[in-house]
Structures are given as structure tokens and as C-alpha cells.
């Protein structure tokens, strides 16, 4: 029972429950295209490498940060809600 006990519980659950998908930060950062494809496969959504790369780009920290900055700027100018 140490700091990794909580994560191990989820990993064990994912192995024994076919309706649970488990993704680690390490795997996602090491090979994001493959992890996106694995998630899509789990969800039953066909995703080729090109689309997985597009998803990776749209969900990157920098992209989401930029989108939030644009929303914040629009709010400041009275254009957002």
C-alpha cells in the first residue's frame, strides 16, 4: 500500500473488465497516435493514422490553451458568453 496502489487498482480493474479502457500518461506521451487509435478501437470508432494525428493536434495542451485564450479575449470584448 504505497503511492502506486491507487493506480494499480485501476490497472487491475481494466484487465478484468472488457468494458473498461485504461490509458497511462506515459503511453499517451510516448506514442499518442497509437493510444488514440487504441481508444478509438475500444469505442468502436474507425480512426486511421491521419485522423489520429489530427485528434492529437486538436487536443494538445498548446492548442487547447490557445483556444481558451481566444475565448477569454472574446469575453473581454463582449463577444462571448
Amino acid at each position: 500500500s504505497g503511492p502506486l496502489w491507487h493506480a494499480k487498482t485501476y490497472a487491475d480493474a481494466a484487465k478484468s473488465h472488457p468494458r473498461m479502457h485504461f490509458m497511462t500518461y506515459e503511453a499517451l506521451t510516448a506514442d499518442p497516435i497509437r493510444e488514440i487509435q487504441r481508444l478509438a478501437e475500444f469505442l468502436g470508432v474507425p480512426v486511421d493514422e491521419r485522423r489520429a494525428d489530427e485528434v492529437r493536434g486538436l487536443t494538445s495542451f498548446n492548442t487547447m490553451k490557445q483556444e481558451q485564450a481566444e475565448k477569454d479575449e472574446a469575453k473581454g470584448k463582449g463577444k462571448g458568453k
Side-chain angles (χ1 to χ4, degrees):
S1 150
L4 296 179
W5 177 84
H6 188 72
K8 184 179 179 331
T9 302
Y10 283 111
D12 291 345
K15 289 176 186 173
S16 62
H17 297 292
R19 295 188 62 191
M20 181 183 286
H21 180 78
F22 189 74
M23 181 184 299
T24 66
Y25 175 81
E26 292 78 13
L28 185 59
T29 56
D31 192 352
I33 302 300
R34 177 66 189 126
E35 289 303 304
I36 290 167
Q37 289 176 316
R38 284 185 63 238
L39 177 59
E41 182 180 332
F42 174 77
L43 296 172
V45 178
V47 173
D48 61 16
E49 189 170 336
R50 181 194 58 77
R51 180 67 174 144
D53 188 50
E54 184 179 350
V55 169
R56 182 205 48 78
L58 292 170
T59 58
S60 73
F61 178 79
N62 289 334
T63 299
M64 291 191 291
K65 184 177 177 181
Q66 179 62 36
E67 287 178 3
Q68 186 61 50
E70 290 169 5
K71 287 179 186 177
D72 291 346
E73 183 178 339
K75 285 180 186 178
K77 294 181 179 176
K79 297 179 183 175
K81 291 185 177 188

